[in-house]
Amino acid sequence: MIVVMQKGASRGEIVAVEERLRDLGFQTHPIYGVERTVIGAIGDKRDSHFEVILNLPGVERIVPILRPYKLVAREVKPETTAVRAGRVTIGGAEVVVIAGPCAVENELQLITAAKAVKEAGAHILRGGAFKPRTSPYSFQGLEEEGLKLLARAREATGLPVVTEVVDTRDVELVARYADILQVGARNMQNFRLLREVGQAKKPVLLKRGLAATVEEWLMAAEYIAAAGNHEIILCERGIRTFETSLRNTLDVSAIPLVKELSHLPVIVDPSHATGNYRLVTPLARAAVAAGADGLMVEVHPDPARALCDGPQSLTPARFAALMEEIGRVAVAVGRVAREADGKVKKQAGG
Amino acid sequence: MIVVMQKGASRGEIVAVEERLRDLGFQTHPIYGVERTVIGAIGDKRDSHFEVILNLPGVERIVPILRPYKLVAREVKPETTAVRAGRVTIGGAEVVVIAGPCAVENELQLITAAKAVKEAGAHILRGGAFKPRTSPYSFQGLEEEGLKLLARAREATGLPVVTEVVDTRDVELVARYADILQVGARNMQNFRLLREVGQAKKPVLLKRGLAATVEEWLMAAEYIAAAGNHEIILCERGIRTFETSLRNTLDVSAIPLVKELSHLPVIVDPSHATGNYRLVTPLARAAVAAGADGLMVEVHPDPARALCDGPQSLTPARFAALMEEIGRVAVAVGRVAREADGKVKKQAGG
Amino acid sequence: MIVVMQKGASRGEIVAVEERLRDLGFQTHPIYGVERTVIGAIGDKRDSHFEVILNLPGVERIVPILRPYKLVAREVKPETTAVRAGRVTIGGAEVVVIAGPCAVENELQLITAAKAVKEAGAHILRGGAFKPRTSPYSFQGLEEEGLKLLARAREATGLPVVTEVVDTRDVELVARYADILQVGARNMQNFRLLREVGQAKKPVLLKRGLAATVEEWLMAAEYIAAAGNHEIILCERGIRTFETSLRNTLDVSAIPLVKELSHLPVIVDPSHATGNYRLVTPLARAAVAAGADGLMVEVHPDPARALCDGPQSLTPARFAALMEEIGRVAVAVGRVAREADGKVKKQAGG
Amino acid sequence: MIVVMQKGASRGEIVAVEERLRDLGFQTHPIYGVERTVIGAIGDKRDSHFEVILNLPGVERIVPILRPYKLVAREVKPETTAVRAGRVTIGGAEVVVIAGPCAVENELQLITAAKAVKEAGAHILRGGAFKPRTSPYSFQGLEEEGLKLLARAREATGLPVVTEVVDTRDVELVARYADILQVGARNMQNFRLLREVGQAKKPVLLKRGLAATVEEWLMAAEYIAAAGNHEIILCERGIRTFETSLRNTLDVSAIPLVKELSHLPVIVDPSHATGNYRLVTPLARAAVAAGADGLMVEVHPDPARALCDGPQSLTPARFAALMEEIGRVAVAVGRVAREADGKVKKQAGG
């Protein structure tokens, strides 16, 4: 790290900072500038408690040089991690599509949705059994009953299932039924939950928090990895900004940025990013064009009667059209896409 | 709620929306405008699933009229709630000050801090035993051992204690030791934790999330109240904005706004709001001037050796000066402040 | 508009609001709800001074129903506006690419850049003669000398040119040399400049402000249209959010959203959106996939010696690769793209 | 500045960066760390074009050490600048209050407002003659006629006047009538206007842009100072954030922060910050408590008939109450406040 001293910091203050840095295990290299002295502190330390340096007299600020994450950094593992769920690989050449209803409502709704998304070419089924809702008066999910229906939908279609876990006490239960455990945006910094899913034996889909920086998102992934689970899929789902004409603002730049910084696969949820079914397909196309490894899309057999997220859910017919469209974009950017009939589509000669 | 139809919506579409609204239990009142039709829907419904209306053909948008929270709204209870912890009342005439270290580190540190803040006039002791940290490699707190030290500090000083709970599994444990349970900013929408503290028999201090709107914050409080616990203290601690020269942006307007919307007491944490000890005192003064019912301030006997939040922690001497300054402001705005000697200070004739 | 009365507003207050609305030319339709009364006010009024209603006793808030812009709304003109500059049409089937250096530095630099971008297939040349810079100590542009060089580059290549105007006093001068007048992000609400370019006889490229909502951006376009100039191209260039790992956050959702709300063509500037040349190409692909009518890309013969925006400028070789890539995406989404040799590329059978 | 090299940057890349830095006039000091090399570059350079270093192979990022502003920095001038307008001093012990209507509407309205605010103890009259409005269909101000009315109000009351200038072409005209020239939030980065008011002989009140960082705000002030005008008053008026329950979010922390970084006086506009007259007084108290040198408050004789900003305007009676309240707070924080009768109020023994 670099310690920037205040203009006019005394010799004694500079020496005291150097001493404290050496106590903390750093080698120090002061540089005496025209207006200010800066001290380079060398050492493989990522422990954040060196921020105490900030309190020493004469210190103006600290500039960290090393990134705070290690296990999830591309620097330490150049090839993209391929996460497997059933026979599906996320992080390979194919653009993987996760689809299904916001919430599991009943058997008919779920099985209808599952069959429809499978038929259109989806790879994985989504559906919430535990729903984090802004209002205590909204539908909170079918809980274990919902998990059982998901397992039944998997049997009926062969699709692996992903579902959200919202409580440390439920991780074991959810992991018994699901192929992938989802940690939602509002729990991205629920560190106990991160640690708990880090000890599970199932891959984790980690959504970005509404106001989480890319660095904080990767630190949340680092929590999971540090607990022993390296099967992590990152999911961008829109961030909160001043713009309120849509539910969130899809941060499409985060896709190539995270792929540069980390070896983890990155997928995009265009449904939550926009909150409006009419914009889901163009955003899905944009995500694939920007390099996303997959998509997560809300599909409901009858959006106008959905118990949650109706306004952003696609009908099966609209979802099938989306699959067509993103298939063409995937091929245009050198990826492989699956067609409705299960055949793969790729660039001629690609 | 008001349903705004698209320009050019057909008569049939309007009728279909009205029918669906009546199915959901609303009375309907269409208004035919020059360019658009809007439909007023009357009924005491706050259930959010009427958003399904958005999916009906011809609907442009929906405008809710009723606020989504009930139990915490000032409309239903005009007088401010007074929350009691030990002999301290939050939400009365006195500006209540909670102070202490970010984390409980050891007995000496905690007892020293506790005695210092008490001597300067603080009403309640803070200290974290379970620490939510951005990095898995940072100090995570002493856990139950920390709770025991807090109990010892209470015995030594008579100050009630507030400490954070970060896991649904720990609520019972923490409630055995603490006088007030804190829910941190990153857990503001950890709905299971909200429900769990809602069943505890201790008051809850609910911090505002980094990117939570005032409405979402009140909805989080509504979760706690709906679970049966009405002893809630709201704590503004800075929000995340584009401005990065400080750790967060203190939303001082939220103080009078929340007091208008809700009957719950509101306090302010100027330490997290700024991340910089030099700005803590001016922000504390501003918070009291804006009408806050109290403050929560980080104080450490030796900030340069603190295991967390050193840069924003006050020394005991700086904290004593803060108490002096906010005392004067409290009196100027018609509140009562406690002096270091335990006497109260108020406006002459006030 | 809808006027929402406070809970408990008196009969007299409701009547007074209705009277005032009728004074302002509205018809009124009160709806008496369970908790609140709302008043529908009908009339083709977009004048914002009806916000005075907010000050009347008993009024809680106002909900506008009509959008505040008229001339630029798709409602009033369903087909997309095609803006012509020289022989280029923006807003047609072809994805139009504007490219060139941030600033005009000298003849060699500009002509080299212009020939390179033309050869790679660009349609229009960009280059700043008047540069709005954050620091008064940074290079501010060659001014009229720069405009002359742009005219020379147009002669040399046949490409129309777009350049920024930053002062009402310069509009006439810039319009003499440029084919398209650019209004920069920082001047998006410089209403006098908007009015002045609204009286010019050249098309206007209007960048979105850093913190402008989509509605404010369309209102800025409305200013230009209201002054008589309907040849407007909207340009999304990234907004300011809490995320600081990149210069701005590209709001890719704004592309399909604006195309739904307005008939004006929308292009994207991925260079300013990211500030990092490595991310320009993936964002350019995303923009085209989302439906953008064109792109504006910074290209410099020697980015490491550029006087401005070097870090986000592409070399000619990287720009040629970008053209290849976006060509494939354009075709995949049903658009026409021009190849380096000037031939058009489209979907088989498209 | 510090140049951080990528992990694995080659010796040759490091040498090339050092050479380029020396070409630009820097001395270089490489520090070879465990994972990365950083290069300290020493020299009194604030010119931003050294960002070209970012394009050299092997460079990861650049960390500036010096602040980009010089003339407005407290480092170069420790005492606060006192700006004089008529007999009023902004930046001294007294908390200065600017008050008046949003827009000058007619003589009666302005003179009534001017007399009312004077009587309540205001020091300076505000009133807009040129109004920047979001909609081209809103009232745009009386222009020169408005300036004449302001001059008449000054004669009638003795109060100096501040009014906004929105076009470079109007600076001379406005400076003939006004005592202080206001640059509005939307023009904070209209660099030509900054340069023009920098050449005027009247003090400038510079509002912070809606999405301007504190550093950008100070750079805008630097533009004015660099053009020769050092009489600058900074005005915080709320920033744009995700929170939309109020018009803007008052950044109260900016007050002590800017006073630490700059020697310029800082005032606060609580009217625009909130957009809601009920919150103006608590925010005014907060601003004074945080250390503001003054306030700017909208007052209208009949807010319900105001042509702009009615909802945030105070009646004369409410303004008189505000003056009372902020007078008490000013004294509590060691400032001097003027009473309605013109006498000054200060702390006993202060």
Side-chain angles (χ1 to χ4, degrees), chain A residues 129-130 141-150 173 176-177:
Chain A
F130 296 94
L142 296 181
E143 310 207 339
E144 188 167 1
E145 179 56 25
L147 297 174
K148 287 179 183 161
L149 294 177
L150 283 167
L173 173 73
R176 269 210 302 281
Y177 290 97

Side-chain angles (χ1 to χ4, degrees), chain D residues 49-239:
Chain D
H49 81 255
F50 55 57
E51 61 176 26
V52 298
I53 296 295
L54 262 180
N55 275 59
L56 297 178
V59 172
E60 185 177 289
R61 65 198 159 103
I62 284 183
V63 181
I65 298 301
L66 301 185
R67 302 193 185 284
Y69 43 84
K70 286 183 263 204
L71 302 172
V72 304
R74 195 174 281 278
E75 284 181 355
V76 304
K77 179 170 174 294
E79 67 283 4
T80 295
T81 289
V83 175
R84 292 192 59 87
R87 280 173 305 178
V88 180
T89 299
I90 302 120
E94 196 167 3
V95 172
V96 170
V97 180
I98 302 169
C102 169
V104 178
E105 298 172 12
N106 57 59
E107 184 158 4
L108 177 65
Q109 170 246 20
L110 185 65
I111 302 287
T112 310
K115 289 187 172 164
V117 302
K118 185 187 179 174
E119 196 178 343
H123 305 72
I124 299 175
L125 175 67
R126 65 150 289 152
F130 297 95
K131 295 302 307 170
R133 303 299 298 271
T134 304
S135 167
Y137 310 121
S138 297
F139 174 60
Q140 310 270 324
L142 296 181
E143 309 205 341
E144 189 168 358
E145 179 56 26
L147 297 175
K148 287 179 184 162
L149 295 177
L150 283 167
R152 222 165 294 161
R154 175 176 45 210
E155 280 164 44
T157 58
L159 297 179
V161 303
V162 54
T163 197
E164 183 164 354
V165 55
V166 299
D167 193 321
T168 49
R169 297 172 299 194
D170 299 335
V171 171
E172 209 184 293
L173 174 72
V174 177
R176 268 210 301 282
Y177 291 97
D179 299 286
I180 304 177
L181 302 174
Q182 179 178 322
V183 173
R186 283 169 181 76
N187 277 318
M188 193 203 84
Q189 291 195 316
N190 179 342
F191 300 113
R192 288 302 191 88
L193 185 61
L194 296 178
R195 218 198 278 171
E196 205 71 26
V197 299
Q199 287 161 6
K201 303 288 174 240
K202 293 286 172 71
V204 178
L205 189 154
L206 177 66
K207 289 203 158 186
R208 180 179 181 184
L210 277 78
T213 62
V214 162
E215 187 168 296
E216 288 169 339
W217 189 19
L218 291 176
M219 286 307 288
E222 185 85 5
Y223 256 94
I224 299 170
N229 190 342
H230 293 255
E231 305 285 297
I232 305 163
I233 304 154
L234 299 169
C235 180
E236 160 67 30
R237 42 76 74 209
I239 57 173

Side-chain angles (χ1 to χ4, degrees), chain B residues 31 36 42 61 64-65 75, chain C residues 31 36 42 61 64-65 75:
Chain B
I31 303 177
R36 273 178 175 72
I42 295 181
R61 65 198 158 100
I65 298 301
E75 285 180 354
Chain C
I31 303 177
R36 273 177 174 72
I42 294 180
R61 64 198 159 101
I65 298 302
E75 284 180 354

Side-chain angles (χ1 to χ4, degrees), chain B residues 153-340:
Chain B
R154 174 175 47 210
E155 279 164 44
T157 59
L159 298 178
V161 302
V162 54
T163 197
E164 183 164 355
V165 55
V166 298
D167 192 323
T168 48
R169 297 172 298 194
D170 299 335
V171 171
E172 206 185 296
L173 173 72
V174 176
R176 269 211 301 282
Y177 291 96
D179 299 286
I180 304 176
L181 302 174
Q182 179 179 322
V183 174
R186 284 171 179 75
N187 277 318
M188 193 204 84
Q189 291 195 317
N190 180 341
F191 301 112
R192 288 302 191 86
L193 184 61
L194 296 178
R195 213 197 282 170
E196 204 71 27
V197 299
Q199 287 162 6
K201 303 286 172 244
K202 292 288 171 70
V204 178
L205 188 155
L206 177 66
K207 290 203 157 187
R208 180 179 182 185
L210 276 78
T213 60
V214 162
E215 187 168 297
E216 288 169 340
W217 188 19
L218 292 175
M219 286 307 288
E222 185 86 4
Y223 256 94
I224 299 171
N229 189 344
H230 293 254
E231 304 284 297
I232 305 165
I233 305 154
L234 299 169
C235 181
E236 159 68 29
R237 44 76 72 207
I239 58 174
R240 181 162 279 182
T241 71
F242 66 84
E243 175 61 77
T244 55
S245 47
L246 298 174
R247 188 164 166 177
N248 294 291
T249 299
L250 178 66
D251 183 6
V252 72
S253 323
I255 304 166
L257 177 62
V258 169
K259 292 191 79 67
E260 194 173 296
L261 298 173
S262 172
H263 55 78
L264 296 175
V266 182
I267 69 166
V268 169
D269 174 347
S271 306
H272 282 86
T274 165
N276 176 336
Y277 75 89
R278 291 194 306 275
L279 301 187
V280 168
T281 300
L283 294 192
R285 292 190 315 242
V288 173
D293 295 301
L295 295 170
M296 186 170 198
V297 180
E298 288 188 348
V299 178
H300 194 285
D302 182 2
R305 298 196 179 265
L307 294 183
C308 89
D309 282 353
Q312 72 198 32
S313 294
L314 298 184
T315 57
R318 287 193 180 108
F319 176 67
L322 173 147
M323 291 297 290
E324 279 284 317
E325 297 199 25
I326 63 137
R328 282 196 293 269
V329 174
V331 171
V333 298
R335 302 295 285 254
V336 172
R338 197 196 287 185
E339 289 189 19

Side-chain angles (χ1 to χ4, degrees), chain B residues 2 14 30 64 78-79 92 99 104 106 108 123 132 149 167 174 209 219-220 222 228 256 275 284 291 319 341 348:
Chain B
I2 303 289
I14 294 166
E79 68 284 2
V104 178
N106 57 60
L108 177 64
H123 305 72
L149 293 178
D167 192 323
V174 176
M219 286 307 288
E222 185 86 4
F319 176 67
D341 55 13

Side-chain angles (χ1 to χ4, degrees), chain A residues 85 98-105 110 124-132 140-151 153-154 159-167 170-185 187 193 197 200 202-207 233 267 296 298, chain B residues 192:
Chain A
I98 302 169
C102 168
V104 178
E105 298 172 12
L110 185 65
I124 298 174
L125 176 67
R126 66 151 288 153
F130 296 94
K131 295 302 306 169
Q140 310 270 323
L142 296 181
E143 310 207 339
E144 188 167 1
E145 179 56 25
L147 297 174
K148 287 179 183 161
L149 294 177
L150 283 167
R154 174 174 48 208
L159 297 178
V161 303
V162 55
T163 197
E164 183 165 354
V165 56
V166 298
D167 192 321
D170 298 335
V171 172
E172 206 185 295
L173 173 73
V174 176
R176 269 210 302 281
Y177 290 97
D179 299 285
I180 303 177
L181 303 174
Q182 178 179 323
V183 174
N187 277 319
L193 184 62
V197 298
K202 292 288 172 70
V204 177
L205 189 155
L206 177 66
K207 289 203 158 188
I233 304 154
I267 70 167
M296 186 168 196
E298 289 188 347
Chain B
R192 288 302 191 86

Side-chain angles (χ1 to χ4, degrees), chain C residues 119-170:
Chain C
E119 199 179 339
H123 305 71
I124 297 174
L125 176 66
R126 64 152 288 152
F130 296 94
K131 297 300 309 169
R133 303 300 297 274
T134 306
S135 167
Y137 310 121
S138 297
F139 174 62
Q140 309 268 325
L142 296 181
E143 311 205 340
E144 188 167 0
E145 179 56 27
L147 298 174
K148 288 179 182 163
L149 294 178
L150 284 166
R152 222 165 294 162
R154 174 174 47 208
E155 280 164 42
T157 58
L159 297 178
V161 303
V162 55
T163 198
E164 184 164 354
V165 56
V166 299
D167 192 322
T168 49
R169 296 172 299 192
D170 299 334

